[in-house]
Amino acid sequence: AFEYNLTDLSLLRQFDLKVGSEGWGLTHDGSTLYLTDSGHELFHLSQETYGLVKRLAIVDPRLGHRRVYGVNELEWVEGELWGNVFPMYQHKASQCIVRIDASSGHVLGWIDAHGLFDRQSERVRRQPMNAVLNGIAYHAGSGRLYVTGKMWDSMYRIRLVSTPHGPEYVSSRCSLG
């Protein structure tokens, strides 16, 4: 990991994170850093030392406590962790975003972004395992939420709409590995 000074982008320190198998997602809530790797765990790290504070399994109680693998590209959104799901080691690619309770690792809900992938050019749609949903940004001041993906043609500002879909829908649409 590399830590930079925000003002002049000078390198403050460089170090190895001693958690997880890979570094995929990293975000913070102002006091804790959250990290995911290619597995099914959420790591809480100290912002001062970057040492492990706690590790939790990411599970969805509504799916029989099924573990969620490949949570990637984390973003802190109004008190929740959001991450795209890319269980590549299970040879799956998902167009879903998982919403996680950072204190328990439990899934709070799912966002189905298939419609966005379907809007991409033929060049992108031909590569569903490479051109995955992989970008979430939230602007707290305006409440705007943006998503994009690897090699996607566009970035989208989205608004969420609640649906009555249950666990079966998530299992069938989100390619959970």
Side-chain angles (χ1 to χ4, degrees):
F2 301 91
E3 182 179 356
Y4 292 93
N5 179 303
L6 187 58
T7 306
D8 64 6
L9 297 180
S10 61
L11 181 64
L12 296 174
R13 59 183 166 162
Q14 175 180 337
F15 51 89
D16 290 329
L17 293 171
K18 306 287 188 219
V19 296
S21 61
E22 297 181 15
W24 276 27
L26 183 66
T27 194
H28 67 93
D29 64 4
S31 62
T32 302
L33 287 172
Y34 301 99
L35 175 104
T36 57
D37 67 0
S38 58
H40 65 276
E41 292 182 299
L42 172 65
F43 302 94
H44 292 217
L45 307 177
S46 163
Q47 283 194 176
E48 290 77 35
T49 67
Y50 298 103
L52 179 64
V53 173
K54 150 167 79 166
R55 69 193 308 159
L56 300 167
I58 302 170
V59 298
D60 190 331
R62 290 166 298 199
L63 296 175
H65 281 64
R66 180 181 189 163
R67 292 179 176 191
V68 179
Y69 287 85
V71 176
N72 193 353
E73 211 303 278
L74 292 175
E75 183 73 10
W76 186 256
V77 179
E78 296 184 9
E80 299 177 0
L81 284 172
W82 288 17
N84 70 294
V85 178
F86 184 29
M88 66 185 228
Y89 296 119
Q90 289 80 29
H91 305 289
K92 302 280 184 170
S94 177
Q95 298 302 324
C96 291
I97 296 170
V98 62
R99 298 173 38 226
I100 304 166
D101 178 333
S103 64
S104 68
H106 287 182
V107 172
L108 299 169
W110 292 90
I111 299 165
D112 182 353
H114 280 84
L116 298 179
F117 182 76
D118 295 344
R119 291 180 180 190
Q120 301 311 303
S121 67
E122 178 63 28
R123 171 191 61 81
V124 174
R125 289 193 320 268
R126 278 194 312 260
Q127 304 178 70
M129 285 298 293
N130 294 322
V132 296
L133 177 70
N134 191 36
I136 306 166
Y138 177 69
H139 184 261
S142 66
R144 291 183 178 152
L145 183 63
Y146 300 91
V147 297
T148 192
K150 290 183 180 181
M151 302 184 293
W152 280 19
D153 304 309
S154 301
M155 176 173 57
Y156 299 90
R157 185 172 76 180
I158 64 170
R159 180 175 39 90
L160 302 182
V161 177
S162 181
T163 66
H165 300 300
E168 300 80 24
Y169 180 85
V170 171
S171 291
S172 69
R173 288 288 279 181
C174 292
S175 302
L176 299 180

